[in-house]
Amino acid sequence: MNYETDSKTDFGSIAVAICVAAYAAIMLAYLAQHDLGLTATQTRHLSMMAALFLALPIALDFLRTGPGKPR
């Protein structure tokens, strides 16, 4: 068994992950607008702030380790 090929992510997995994330975003936007009463602008601003706070630690972790370096 070749462990190098087993750890690689294939295109199908990436496509499924993107579709699931898009579906979750659509459902959360519907919930925010129809059940919580937020406007589209408020929803957009809150989602941009949430994405920033969620992506910032991940980006800092990538910058800390550098490309191709194991932990």
Side-chain angles (χ1 to χ4, degrees):
M1 183 176 245
N2 189 356
Y3 291 108
E4 288 183 19
T5 58
D6 291 341
S7 67
K8 292 184 180 178
T9 306
D10 61 341
F11 179 73
S13 298
I14 294 171
V16 168
I18 289 172
C19 290
V20 168
Y23 181 74
I26 291 168
M27 290 296 106
L28 286 173
Y30 178 84
L31 174 76
Q33 289 181 0
H34 294 280
D35 290 343
L36 300 177
L38 297 175
T39 65
T41 304
Q42 290 172 328
T43 304
R44 183 172 48 248
H45 287 194
L46 289 172
S47 65
M48 286 189 294
M49 286 190 300
L52 175 69
F53 287 123
L54 290 173
L56 189 61
I58 296 170
L60 290 175
D61 185 50
F62 282 138
L63 291 174
R64 183 175 55 94
T65 57
K69 294 181 183 176
R71 290 184 163 218

